[in-house]
Amino acid sequence: MATHWSQQLHTLLKQQNIRQVSFVPDAGHTALIKLCEADDAMRAVRLTTEEEGVALAVGAWLGGDKSVLLMQSSGVGNCINMLSMLSVCQIPLTMLVTMRGDWAEFNPWQVPMGRATQPVLEEMGVLVSRADREDEIVPLAEGALRIAYNTLRPAAVLIGQRLLGAKTFDQ
Amino acid sequence: MQPAPKLERRAVVRALLADRGELMVIAGLGAPAWDATDAGDHPLNFPLWGGMGGAVAMGLGLALAQPDRRVLVLTGDGELLMGMGSLATVGVQRPHNLAVVVLDNEHYGETGMQPSHTAFGIDLSAAAKACGFAASSLVTTMQQVATLRADIHGADGPLFAQIKIAADKLTLVLPPRDGTHLKNRFREALLGKVGHFQR
């Protein structure tokens, strides 16, 4: 099932002429990352921390490339200060964020950032939408890409943990 | 033997940006942005008023987007220390057209000249070498600066140089501070008017 929406997202990124896809790996993004890495029309950039992806997007846009940042919700916390640049300079970026710390979370240390993800993004000027059903992901991602690049601002789609399946550590 | 006097940052940056041609410059938050402006405000300068720790990753995004043009990230030791992981990110991508030059005064100049990690011997050029940069050097003379200027325009990258400079507090030479202006003039200079219609 997971492969299905990842393939649709990959097709969408190609249609929207996304040239740079940066990421810190996350289980929910595994299939999409593999598809982007195998695609010669895209540059897949592995990051050491998510804020690099925000800065990368600024450089990419200065150079005429559209980019997307893939991360887990805990990575949103790593991006806060760097997001300032997107609003000050009116630079577009779409972020696809797989959630931790919401539905059926197993790890208590994930919950604070999971709860804060959406308000933190919104406080920093990011337009946020949230997919809790599989059939919502691609339409919401398309909407985020279009509003980001048509109106020169950052947009994020949160992909809920109920949809992804909560990590259980085999418990 | 007395150590040689450290280089003067504005003279270094003027030499690095002499006859710059189509070179694109990301100038890191603080003094490197003022230095780049002192050498001559330019539409292909993107001087940072924020985003500390992001200059190298920004240069990487630009270098990947424009593989046929040269990109210089000119930043400070404090700014680089905040984003050292981005050296590893560059090392994986290995953009041939990217140079990262650190103006290392061993201090946080904008906040009152507190010593940075490099004042205690932390070796940024060794870190860049370990992260897979094609070349990485420690620069202490103006002759080396002249060689570096030529390498920025022609050598196969990614290049890294750590230039030891004096911890002088100089007159501010401020670039425009409206981020949308800086972005739009950069994109127009690089992409032409058509850049304004990209979506």
Side-chain angles (χ1 to χ4, degrees):
Chain A
M1 283 294 268
T3 314
H4 182 54
W5 57 262
S6 296
Q7 273 171 348
Q8 288 178 338
L9 278 180
H10 175 247
T11 302
L12 176 66
L13 298 186
K14 286 181 80 67
Q15 283 167 352
Q16 296 282 329
N17 196 26
I18 300 298
R19 300 294 303 277
Q20 298 188 32
V21 178
S22 67
F23 60 91
V24 172
D26 180 61
H29 282 312
T30 305
L32 179 56
I33 290 168
K34 280 189 182 147
L35 289 165
C36 294
E37 285 182 311
D39 188 334
D40 289 340
M42 293 176 180
R43 190 71 173 237
V45 180
R46 59 193 62 249
L47 310 165
T48 69
T49 177
E50 293 81 356
E51 64 181 313
E52 288 174 13
V54 179
L56 187 91
V58 174
W61 183 248
L62 288 178
D65 267 6
K66 292 162 72 170
S67 67
V68 161
L69 170 55
L70 311 179
M71 62 181 151
Q72 184 186 104
S73 51
S74 47
V76 169
N78 295 344
C79 293
I80 298 172
N81 183 51
M82 211 61 84
L83 290 169
S84 308
M85 280 195 300
L86 304 183
S87 56
V88 166
C89 301
Q90 294 180 18
I91 287 176
L93 171 64
T94 301
M95 294 169 257
L96 302 178
V97 181
T98 45
M99 290 303 297
R100 290 294 307 268
D102 68 357
W103 181 85
E105 178 58 58
F106 171 81
N107 179 351
W109 296 35
Q110 288 282 359
V111 175
M113 192 62 232
R115 285 176 53 84
T117 295
Q118 182 158 354
V120 158
L121 285 169
E122 287 173 343
E123 286 291 324
M124 292 309 295
V126 180
L127 301 168
V128 182
S129 54
R130 185 182 163 107
D132 280 306
R133 294 199 325 263
E134 191 172 321
D135 63 0
E136 292 175 324
I137 298 176
V138 174
L140 289 177
E142 183 178 356
L145 286 158
R146 285 169 61 175
I147 202 167
Y149 287 98
N150 282 322
T151 75
L152 301 172
R153 68 190 71 235
V157 179
L158 311 185
I159 302 173
Q161 193 159 251
R162 186 171 176 191
L163 184 169
L164 293 164
K167 199 169 181 174
T168 62
F169 294 95
D170 298 321
Q171 295 297 301
Chain B
M1 201 176 84
Q2 285 283 75
K6 284 190 177 167
L7 301 178
E8 197 277 298
R9 59 187 310 145
R10 295 267 162 93
V12 167
V13 173
R14 275 186 228 117
L16 287 177
L17 297 182
D19 302 320
R20 57 184 282 174
E22 294 186 331
L23 181 69
M24 300 185 281
V25 178
I26 306 284
L29 177 63
W34 325 147
D35 297 337
T37 307
D38 170 75
D41 187 35
H42 196 288
L44 291 176
N45 279 1
F46 197 71
L48 297 174
W49 288 85
M52 187 163 173
V56 171
M58 216 174 294
L60 174 62
L62 180 55
L64 295 178
Q66 292 288 331
D68 298 330
R69 303 275 294 256
R70 306 293 296 202
V71 178
L72 169 64
V73 173
L74 189 65
T75 193
D77 45 308
E79 203 279 342
L80 188 90
L81 284 160
M82 196 171 279
M84 271 179 83
S86 58
L87 296 180
T89 298
V90 168
V92 173
Q93 300 298 325
R94 296 185 67 84
H96 63 91
N97 56 334
L98 176 66
V100 176
V101 171
V102 178
L103 299 164
D104 178 16
N105 68 356
E106 304 183 352
H107 289 80
Y108 291 93
E110 300 301 305
T111 54
M113 280 295 172
Q114 300 88 348
S116 82
H117 296 50
T118 61
F120 300 87
I122 299 305
D123 187 344
L124 298 176
S125 57
K129 205 168 290 177
C131 285
F133 276 67
S136 180
S137 55
L138 182 69
V139 171
T140 57
T141 69
M142 286 306 283
Q143 287 92 328
Q144 287 174 294
V145 171
T147 306
L148 177 61
R149 187 221 156 265
D151 288 347
I152 288 166
H153 286 269
D156 234 18
L159 306 178
F160 186 94
Q162 179 180 11
I163 309 182
K164 288 290 183 182
I165 55 163
D168 296 327
K169 193 83 178 137
L170 303 173
T171 313
L172 301 182
V173 183
L174 301 180
R177 72 188 73 186
D178 180 339
T180 59
H181 170 70
L182 292 166
K183 172 197 68 173
N184 287 327
R185 73 175 192 171
F186 190 105
R187 283 172 51 92
E188 187 170 320
L190 174 63
L191 307 169
K193 298 250 185 231
V194 68
H196 300 309
F197 295 89
Q198 187 185 1
R199 58 191 187 87

